[in-house]
Amino acid sequence: MRKQVSIECTGLYKSFGPKTALRDVSFQATGAQAIGLLGQNGAGKSTLLNILAGIILPDKGEALINGQSMTEAPVTTKENVGYLSETAPLYDEMTVKEYVRFLIALNRVKKADRQRHYDNLIDLCNLGDAQNRLCGNLSHGFRQRVALCGALCGKPDVLLLDEPTTGLDPSQLIDFRRLIDTLSQSHIIILSSHTLSLIESLCSRVILLNEGHKVLDRSLKQNNGLRQYLVKLNTIDRVALPILRQLPSVKRVTTLPQEGGKGCWLVESDMGDKFPHELFAALSARHIALLTLTPMRQSLEDVYLAHLAGGKQP
Amino acid sequence: MITLYKHEWKTYFITSIGYIFLAVFLALSGFIFVVNNLISRTSDLRGFFFMSSYVWLLESPVPVMRLMAGERRRGTDRILHASPVSVTQALVAKYLAALSLSLLALVLSLIFPLVVQIYGGVHWPEVWMGYIGLFGYFAAHLALNLLVSSFAQSPAAAFTLSLGANFLLRLFAGLSAQGTSLINRIASLVDFDSRLTPFIYGQWSPASFVYFLCFAVLCVSLTVLLLGLSRRRRA
């Protein structure tokens, strides 16, 4: 049985000369999931991934993978981490087969298991036809695929993917999505990307960095899970507002301009499923007609822009 | 570590750097052999060994120039840093691969004493001592070049830095014979030639051999230390 995978980052700081790339970044993740890492260029995404991969060391703070510290036991901790760099560096003079076999051996897979592991990886990454091609002759899409295959060598529990879809054509992108979707069932995947639609479709959680600060860390399911409702009632603000506000699942109510004498409100609920039931019960008890109840979907783009404009969130 | 060692060893011959290195080494050594032994009609190989140390000043940057700088330029150093291999293991594996290539060059250069053997006589114990001395000398120079070139951004820069370091060391060591001042004494600490001389004359000098090995270990350890520190700073 596969062990429970986890990442725990506590108070990570990293500076490069006068520039502080990460400031007090903490988060944790337990169990298989895909986490989207968002932020503008220079926000600290690659630095965070490099620290988690053990490529650079933090100035302060600690990164634990499956409970092991990347600072204190880097070699054993790295056995649990696969890292795909943005530029997908490969040894151009090696064939795909040589490259993947080299990484399998480098990741200390037992000799008896190597051939099976190699076959599985080649199947998973759909590289069967490219095995004997030189890495230096591969197209960008294939290079990304080979680099991802390399990141999976050694059966890591955690996959760190730094802008892995840059330059992929649509069909390669579809393949890549499928692959990540499959892998997210058994791995913690941290996926850094500027493509919000990719994050939205693949990830269950998103972390947003801005100027080295973590400004957002929330579940995307929750975000897309009907947290905002447009409510239209056959009554006026003075009557409806107290009713809406006293519902336990309601967090905030914003009064919108009236439409033809009918009141309109935007309701934010932190218990999305309960709110409609509570609303129906409250309205029927007061004989108020519910004209419209529309769940509002806040896109990741809205969230992204709102938080970047808003700056740091405690 | 063995995996990395094998990888580096194979890479020398996949990228043809290994062939070029061996060919140039044998060509220059052959030229020295022809001038020193064949034309002079002598079986004395001391001049050959002595001149081989000069060839090494030019050639020793070649096996190490791409070990770290090449990885950095291509970005493949990230693959190594993200792998479950310590910096020490990675550097030792790379150094041993370069040392093995140097050893192969020395083994192939045995053709010259063998030619002398065919047409005359060779005092083999003296030849073996010469080779042991050259091996220690090569090992120390390779380690120095590894240290100097590890922070270069490209193989070309690594080659230039290593070549400069080799000649500066040679010039500085030359001061050791010119007096007894502090500088002269410091210069004697890096005087490789005086340590190589007993071997060339067929004498076994354990102190000199240990010196070469210690110098190599010191340089490799310093490289490990400095690379470790640079990981704290790098972007």
Side-chain angles (χ1 to χ4, degrees), chain B residues 74-107:
Chain B
R74 296 191 299 183
T76 46
D77 58 334
R78 288 173 173 269
I79 297 172
L80 291 183
H81 288 311
S83 301
V85 178
S86 67
V87 179
T88 310
Q89 287 173 323
L91 267 175
V92 170
K94 283 169 178 286
Y95 175 71
L96 288 180
L99 194 60
S100 303
L101 188 68
S102 312
L103 188 61
L104 179 62
L106 281 177
V107 169

Side-chain angles (χ1 to χ4, degrees), chain A residues 101-166:
Chain A
R101 283 181 189 275
F102 166 61
L103 285 186
I104 286 174
L106 201 61
N107 281 279
R108 300 172 176 184
V109 176
K110 285 180 191 161
K111 273 190 179 171
D113 295 339
R114 284 181 190 172
Q115 186 58 43
R116 194 158 16 111
H117 188 39
Y118 172 80
D119 292 339
N120 288 343
L121 286 178
I122 293 293
D123 277 351
L124 184 68
C125 300
N126 198 14
L127 285 168
D129 296 336
Q131 284 180 81
N132 295 314
R133 289 177 64 189
L134 281 177
C135 292
N137 293 342
L138 296 174
S139 66
H140 182 75
F142 263 107
R143 285 181 74 87
Q144 290 289 106
R145 224 187 284 178
V146 175
L148 180 61
C149 188
L152 288 165
C153 288
K155 304 171 189 169
D157 295 319
V158 173
L159 268 181
L160 308 169
L161 310 178
D162 195 357
E163 300 186 24
T165 55
T166 312

Side-chain angles (χ1 to χ4, degrees), chain A residues 217-229:
Chain A
D217 181 355
R218 69 197 280 185
S219 161
L220 271 180
K221 283 178 184 160
Q222 183 191 24
N223 178 44
N224 295 337
L226 317 178
R227 288 184 67 240
Q228 285 189 323
Y229 295 87

Side-chain angles (χ1 to χ4, degrees), chain A residues 11-14 19-25 211-214:
Chain A
L12 291 177
Y13 278 86
K14 184 70 190 174
K19 182 178 166 34
T20 305
L22 284 184
R23 299 162 201 259
D24 195 19
V25 171
E211 294 175 358
H213 292 285
K214 186 182 84 174

